[in-house]
Amino acid sequence: METEKWFVSDATCHELYPQPIRDLARRHWTPLLVAKKAASFLVTDPGVRILDIGSGAGKFCLAAGFHYPKAQFTGIEQREYLVQYANAALETTGLPNVSFIHGNFTQADFRQYDHFYFYNSFYENLAYTEKIDEQIEYSTELFEYYSHYLYKQLCNAPAGTRLVTYHSLETEIPTDFHVVHTDINDYLKCWIKV
Ligand SMILES: C[S@@+](CC[C@H](N)C(=O)[O-])C[C@H]1O[C@@H](n2cnc3c(N)ncnc32)[C@H](O)[C@@H]1O
């Protein structure tokens, strides 16, 4: 009951964070409805391991972990201060099936995970997009490098791997991933590798 109160609405969930992090939510953090829909597709079995590629302040993993307590949700995030806020929110909610890693997603071992969530994490590298902060370098080259790196990881994933994208430009998705469901005006796409 204590944990539940954080996931009643986006507004209550954002109370897990200080104001500057809440202010980023509209553009950068997954809405609760989207997290719930994405997780319902990604959680195929109890114990399934899901990686959020670019986990920000942890909202997707926390919401998904709350709704699916038997699945394991891990987020990897390049900005250390966001990982700290994610871990603080994790401590407040007390969810045992969620964890966060500070690092670039290129350091993640994709073989440790069954399915993946991706909220257009590399987009801020493109010109004229809203940035989370001005503390890192942005470039089109980085966008292309990360997109291609993710593409190659997904190429190596086994058949049956599931992916949910939210607002993706789809440059990172190999052709053997097929869309099986869309939602939220097609911004949310559910993919399965054949
Ligand atoms: C749109 S936000 C989504 C956050 C979270 N997945 C959610 O839905 O609430 C994308 C996040 O990806 C992170 N990110 C971007 N490139 C990354 C990289 N190469 N490695 C790790 N994190 C990255 C950004 O710092 C940002 O926090």
Side-chain angles (χ1 to χ4, degrees):
M1 194 60 192
E2 197 37 31
T3 305
E4 199 177 319
K5 71 176 187 193
W6 301 109
F7 302 102
V8 168
S9 68
D10 286 295
T12 58
C13 188
H14 296 163
E15 286 174 19
L16 287 164
Y17 305 106
Q19 194 61 47
I21 301 301
R22 289 182 205 177
D23 291 343
L24 293 166
R26 181 191 57 79
R27 176 62 189 86
H28 297 286
W29 315 143
T30 298
L32 286 186
L33 177 66
V34 173
K36 199 171 172 184
K37 285 176 186 272
S40 77
F41 176 73
L42 292 171
V43 178
T44 48
D45 304 290
V48 74
R49 302 157 306 171
I50 291 154
L51 178 67
D52 180 9
I53 302 161
S55 48
K59 190 178 171 191
F60 167 76
C61 286
L62 293 167
F66 168 69
H67 287 293
Y68 293 90
K70 290 189 176 157
Q72 297 294 323
F73 294 90
T74 303
I76 187 161
E77 166 58 47
Q78 63 180 347
R79 289 176 162 99
E80 189 169 17
Y81 72 93
L82 290 180
V83 177
Q84 286 167 357
Y85 285 124
N87 278 326
L90 177 59
E91 202 175 316
T92 306
T93 54
L95 294 165
N97 57 329
V98 175
S99 60
F100 298 104
I101 300 168
H102 171 227
N104 198 295
F105 88 101
T106 56
Q107 299 164 316
D109 180 356
F110 275 56
R111 294 167 302 183
Q112 301 293 314
Y113 305 97
D114 302 298
H115 306 306
F116 302 90
Y117 177 71
F118 182 66
Y119 178 6
N120 206 12
S121 298
F122 316 139
Y123 189 67
E124 63 177 341
N125 282 294
L126 300 177
Y128 310 114
T129 57
E130 283 181 48
K131 318 296 187 201
I132 290 179
D133 58 38
E134 296 301 333
Q135 296 180 20
I136 60 170
E137 300 241 336
Y138 301 105
S139 70
T140 308
E141 288 74 21
L142 260 185
F143 176 85
E144 284 165 3
Y145 172 74
Y146 288 148
S147 298
H148 186 63
Y149 190 95
L150 179 53
Y151 172 89
K152 283 194 297 179
Q153 295 300 314
L154 294 174
C155 282
N156 292 334
T161 300
R162 292 183 174 214
L163 168 70
V164 171
T165 57
Y166 185 50
H167 284 272
S168 166
L169 301 181
E170 302 181 18
T171 52
E172 65 286 335
I173 303 175
T175 52
D176 54 3
F177 275 78
H178 293 185
V179 175
V180 294
H181 178 68
T182 72
D183 209 327
I184 321 281
N185 293 326
D186 285 352
Y187 288 126
L188 182 77
K189 291 192 178 171
C190 300
W191 310 74
I192 298 181
K193 182 163 176 161
V194 290

